[in-house]
Amino acid sequence: MKVHRAARMERCIGCHACSLACARLVHKTISWNASGIRIKSSGGVTSGYQAVLCLACDPPPCAAACPTGAMTPRKSGGGVLHKRSVCIRCGKCAAACPVGAIALDDQQAPYVCIHCGRCIEFCPHGCLELFDAEEKRPLCQEACHVPPVAE
Amino acid sequence: MSPLSPNSFDRTACFRVLVVDLAARRGDVVILDGRDQVMGGSGLAALLYQKYGLPGEPAFHPGQPLIFAIGPLTGAFPLMSKTVCGFKSPYVENYAESHAGGRSALSLRFAGYDALVITGRAAAPAAVVLGSRTLQVVDVHYLWGADIFTAGKLLRKIVPGNSGHRSILRIGPAGENRQAYACINVDTYRHFGRLGAGAVMGAKNLKGVVIHGDADLPFPENKNYTKLFADIHSKATATDMMEKYHNLGTPVNVLPLNELKSLPWRNLQATADPDAGKISGEEFADKLLMSNAACSGCPVGCIHVGMLREMFSDKHRFYIRQVPYDHEPNFACGSMLGVTDPKEILALIDAADRQGLDAISAGVALAWATEAMQKGLVTPETALTTLAFGEPEGYKTALYHLGHMTNDFYAALGRGAGYAAAQYGGGDFACVLGQEMAGYATGETYFVSQTIGFRHSHLDTGAYSFDQKNKDQDIEATLKFLLDDERERVLLNNLVSCLFARGVYKPALIAEALDCLGFSTLAHTLDETSETVRNLRWKLKIQTGFDPATTRIPKRFSEIVTWKGAVDADYMERLRTAYAQKIIALAGENAPAAGT
């Protein structure tokens, strides 16, 4: 399994190409919000950019909070799969996510990163990366200079 | 983020416009015909001024509309990242446009509108807040007097939510005081810079506009959409087509312009100087560039942000300021003022930005004031400081006074160097070409172009580039270039594409993108639409008081030397007269009638 990490956000220029790519390619819409990755600025553009996306919790609290089994843990590596046909749009998954990575539209339909990596090729500065979950790569960003954990 | 219903109206035929009346504190959503005639952006702004404008009334009349318009491809394709602001300019008292990026274009698109029109005057200082399901006119009387950065910070608290997916437009003291070249700041680093849109906001008692981009656009039915998007994205990032814009940025022009004797120095008393190397694009990039930023929907990231570190106490206390720079503000706050320390140039841009002043006009106006002080026309007592080329402290003081319109001198200077010169003398050396000049002393074609051009901007045509390649004095060939180039730029202004993307978005690609989104008629009528909009824009400008024939180019511009030799005043005047006649003809009988 692959895990998506916003590994080098210090390089982000705030172009939103990743969000727009996810909306376009995964969710078949043109949107900033209906996307598994969303670029935020906290306190204006001078403060830099933060990627809001699924951190592949294992086990994922959003799946635990889902009352209908619409949000289920992936087989390995963390993260979830969302099955729209059985989702009752209660919003409990989004409320349970500790980092606000699940967006709800006004029908309460959730949008969460599925770790497909389709956004990555649209990032002009290589901020984003897909890792093998087995690498257990830490969340540290580029500036941390922490090498990958070797098993 | 509700999907905007594709069936509520046909967006390939109509525009969806929000018209907000500040006095009534409410708005109307208007579905407007005309997509196939004016396309969007610049054309839509002109159409809306035609519908809502008061051509015979002054710029500060409460009923004058302040218009923000985007284009048919905005949000759906890369680099369609700009917004057109249409308004009656208090600087020239005729219809004008200014363009800005930031998040403004995508925010407006995802809020569900092709344009926002603001009319009326609020009873007390107000902010307009809009989104796909939001419209509020909020009382912000306590923000009146706040500088640009404070206003931005407080508006983020006052109107929370949608961080990263909203655009915050605001004015500073200069706009509140209706200084004629007050700008509208967009998302801190971008500006509706020229010709005084910020003063129009001030006259409306409108401190800020917050646009939440919180809805979705329907996905195009055309199966080629994702492939076409990827192709264009690739062109804009994987090739060297845009390299100069994101590497050194526009300051890359400094050394070549100086080499060509085309860089204005010390109020255009010279066109080259050995100190150019100190303020080159390379110097800024190597020593001060802190980060790049992008307008939403543009992967190029041409916004260059410099880091200004200044010690405010001798106990080694520092503050850090992040200042966006480009060639034009660098020239106006740098070579034009004889300032050759890049840190001081950033400090002056920051001081102009903080007040909400157009940094280009402010710098060039202060250059005139400096020469006027040298010649004894203006005294330090009048200017409340000493202005001297190369000495930034006086300029920082003056920028504060310009923003706050402290006395009669700054009230006059805030109306432009030309106006101030009419009061104090020194009109021959007021570097005004419609408005204060931009940073290209390339020769006769450029001076004529900026004087008569629709926006009085270096971006109306590529005349600055034409001058650098053509020495011949061929009026017919030059006119052909000016007219053809303007029409091509009008097409991009209708979209509203970043003009840096003109190498990517050639007409065939534009047609393909339009067709892909269902704008099939527009895709086949690019030239006709551009011509219609060009004529409409000129008709409005002339109807609101502009007379190309009576424009003039101050004497200073014929006193300089470029790589072509001494500027030929006689040729320049013949070119100006001929170009004026062409423009008058464009707005003539065959043009669409304004007001109909």
Side-chain angles (χ1 to χ4, degrees):
Chain A
M1 298 290 275
K2 298 284 187 183
V3 172
H4 188 195
R5 291 278 190 249
R8 288 175 286 275
M9 285 302 290
E10 287 86 353
R11 303 181 183 191
C12 178
I13 58 172
C15 69
H16 298 267
C18 55
S19 303
L20 295 165
C22 179
R24 183 173 68 249
L25 300 173
V26 178
H27 299 291
K28 303 297 178 197
T29 185
I30 300 176
S31 174
W32 261 337
N33 290 306
S35 166
I37 180 169
R38 298 170 300 283
I39 301 301
K40 304 287 183 180
S41 56
S42 49
V45 292
T46 57
S47 63
Y49 302 98
Q50 177 195 5
V52 179
L53 81 167
C54 173
L55 299 182
C57 298
D58 190 6
C62 54
C66 177
T68 63
M71 205 66 94
T72 55
R74 295 198 302 167
K75 284 179 184 169
S76 63
V80 286
L81 296 172
H82 176 240
K83 195 181 286 184
R84 284 189 184 277
S85 58
V86 296
C87 176
I88 60 171
R89 300 178 179 181
C90 64
K92 290 192 183 301
C93 56
C97 177
V99 293
I102 300 177
L104 298 177
D105 67 16
D106 61 342
Q107 304 296 312
Q108 295 272 86
Y111 293 85
V112 63
C113 175
I114 57 172
H115 302 273
C116 69
R118 298 185 77 181
C119 57
I120 291 173
E121 65 181 291
F122 289 91
C123 174
H125 291 290
C127 302
L128 312 173
E129 201 165 341
L130 213 54
F131 297 111
D132 284 324
E134 290 73 25
E135 281 188 44
K136 298 197 183 303
R137 191 76 68 106
L139 280 179
C140 292
Q141 299 193 335
E142 183 177 50
C144 187
H145 296 297
V146 174
V149 175
E151 283 292 321
Chain B
M1 49 178 173
S2 54
L4 293 162
S5 168
N7 301 319
S8 56
F9 73 103
D10 180 2
R11 65 185 295 268
T12 65
C14 303
F15 299 107
R16 188 168 186 263
V17 179
L18 177 63
V19 183
V20 178
D21 181 345
L22 289 171
R25 301 173 69 90
R26 66 179 302 281
D28 293 313
V29 177
V30 177
I31 306 298
L32 192 67
D33 290 334
R35 177 72 83 178
D36 285 341
Q37 286 70 50
V38 301
M39 188 176 283
S42 189
L44 175 55
L47 186 73
L48 289 167
Y49 191 83
Q50 187 178 251
K51 182 175 173 66
Y52 295 102
L54 306 173
E57 298 292 343
F60 290 147
H61 188 288
Q64 291 287 12
L66 182 64
I67 300 160
F68 302 95
I70 54 177
L73 303 181
T74 305
F77 284 104
L79 286 147
M80 296 295 160
S81 47
K82 294 249 184 176
T83 304
V84 169
C85 180
F87 59 105
K88 190 172 187 189
S89 161
Y91 190 103
V92 291
E93 279 298 339
N94 49 63
Y95 179 65
E97 272 183 14
S98 185
H99 300 189
R103 294 171 179 154
S104 60
L106 262 62
S107 293
L108 199 53
R109 167 59 72 227
F110 289 132
Y113 298 108
D114 294 296
L116 167 67
V117 179
I118 299 174
T119 67
R121 183 174 192 269
V128 169
V129 182
L130 64 136
S132 67
R133 306 172 78 173
T134 304
L135 175 59
Q136 288 177 282
V137 178
V138 183
D139 171 17
V140 293
H141 66 275
Y142 45 84
L143 285 187
W144 210 245
D147 69 40
I148 287 291
F149 307 121
T150 304
K153 287 173 184 168
L154 290 173
L155 280 166
R156 285 193 282 274
K157 287 186 187 299
I158 296 160
V159 187
N162 290 304
S163 163
H165 297 172
R166 68 182 166 190
S167 186
I168 298 182
L169 285 53
R170 68 271 195 179
I171 59 169
E176 295 175 11
N177 290 315
R178 307 186 190 185
Q179 294 288 49
Y181 45 84
C183 71
I184 301 173
N185 181 289
V186 182
D187 304 322
T188 305
Y189 291 148
R190 300 287 91 183
H191 312 81
F192 292 109
R194 313 222 66 188
L195 291 171
V200 175
M201 270 184 72
K204 293 187 171 306
N205 250 341
L206 181 61
K207 183 69 178 177
V209 180
V210 182
I211 307 170
H212 292 295
D214 55 357
D216 308 340
L217 284 187
F219 196 69
E221 293 174 8
N222 192 309
K223 289 178 182 169
N224 292 328
Y225 171 61
T226 52
K227 182 179 181 308
L228 183 57
F229 186 104
D231 288 348
I232 297 173
H233 182 93
S234 170
K235 273 187 182 153
T237 55
T239 71
D240 60 2
M241 209 176 274
M242 304 296 277
E243 191 270 345
K244 69 178 173 181
Y245 297 118
H246 63 71
N247 186 356
L248 297 182
T250 52
V252 72
N253 293 323
V254 166
L255 292 179
L257 284 172
N258 196 65
E259 189 71 20
L260 285 169
K261 297 187 178 67
S262 297
L263 184 64
W265 285 89
R266 298 174 294 279
N267 200 39
L268 201 53
Q269 291 176 347
T271 52
D273 192 281
D275 274 349
K278 294 181 181 175
I279 57 170
S280 68
E282 291 80 355
E283 282 291 300
F284 271 85
D286 289 344
K287 295 182 179 165
L288 293 172
L289 178 59
M290 175 184 162
S291 62
N292 283 91
C295 297
S296 295
C298 168
V300 174
C302 76
I303 302 171
H304 288 65
V305 183
M307 186 178 82
L308 177 63
R309 176 176 178 259
E310 289 188 309
M311 194 163 75
F312 62 84
S313 142
D314 59 6
K315 303 290 188 296
H316 288 89
R317 303 297 186 193
F318 293 90
Y319 56 67
I320 300 286
R321 290 177 180 171
Q322 301 177 35
V323 187
Y325 66 83
D326 256 309
H327 171 61
E328 289 79 12
N330 282 11
F331 126 82
C333 296
S335 62
M336 195 64 167
L337 296 175
V339 176
T340 56
D341 179 345
K343 291 196 301 295
E344 294 294 354
I345 295 171
L346 287 189
L348 292 173
I349 294 171
D350 182 75
D353 274 358
R354 186 171 297 275
Q355 297 301 322
L357 289 160
D358 167 22
I360 305 175
S361 273
V364 175
L366 288 175
W368 166 83
T370 307
E371 189 168 337
M373 193 170 283
Q374 282 182 336
K375 292 182 161 69
L377 302 172
V378 173
T379 66
E381 291 71 31
T382 302
L384 306 172
T385 188
T386 298
L387 300 173
F389 290 123
E391 296 181 17
E393 288 309 312
Y395 296 130
K396 290 175 194 169
T397 304
L399 287 165
Y400 172 89
H401 291 307
L402 262 179
H404 287 78
M405 205 165 73
T406 309
N407 62 14
D408 288 346
F409 172 70
Y410 286 103
L413 198 62
R415 293 182 68 172
Y419 183 89
Q423 312 298 309
Y424 294 87
D428 285 351
F429 55 84
C431 294
V432 175
L433 300 169
Q435 63 186 326
E436 283 75 13
M437 72 178 298
Y440 308 86
T442 54
E444 296 90 343
T445 315
Y446 173 68
F447 298 150
V448 167
S449 170
Q450 191 174 357
T451 302
I452 295 183
F454 178 75
R455 291 200 269 155
H456 303 299
S457 165
H458 64 289
L459 291 169
D460 281 318
T461 70
Y464 51 92
S465 175
F466 185 86
D467 268 335
Q468 293 175 52
K469 296 169 189 156
N470 295 279
K471 208 169 186 175
D472 300 341
Q473 294 190 345
D474 184 336
I475 285 183
E476 285 308 311
T478 306
L479 289 177
K480 181 177 187 321
F481 163 78
L482 290 170
L483 293 167
D484 289 350
D485 199 37
E486 183 200 33
R487 190 174 67 183
E488 287 176 21
R489 288 173 186 238
V490 168
L491 171 58
L492 295 172
N493 293 164
N494 289 344
L495 287 172
V496 187
S497 156
C498 175
L499 284 178
F500 288 166
R502 57 190 184 270
V504 174
Y505 280 104
K506 296 296 185 189
L509 185 63
I510 292 169
E512 195 178 352
L514 285 167
D515 200 41
C516 181
L517 296 190
F519 298 100
S520 51
T521 303
L522 281 176
H524 296 97
T525 55
L526 298 184
D527 284 349
E528 296 91 323
T529 312
S530 301
E531 200 60 39
T532 298
V533 171
R534 178 185 16 202
N535 294 350
L536 175 59
R537 294 196 321 178
W538 279 117
K539 190 146 193 151
L540 284 174
K541 192 165 175 71
I542 289 171
Q543 186 187 32
T544 49
F546 180 62
D547 182 358
T550 59
T551 53
R552 59 178 290 275
I553 298 174
K555 189 178 176 189
R556 173 58 46 87
F557 293 95
S558 56
E559 294 174 335
I560 63 169
V561 173
T562 73
W563 72 280
K564 294 186 279 190
V567 166
D568 184 335
D570 176 59
Y571 170 68
M572 187 158 68
E573 180 57 16
R574 284 188 287 122
L575 182 62
R576 187 196 66 77
T577 304
Y579 191 34
Q581 293 310 310
K582 292 285 187 188
I583 295 301
I584 291 166
L586 283 175
E589 290 177 4
N590 294 329
T596 58

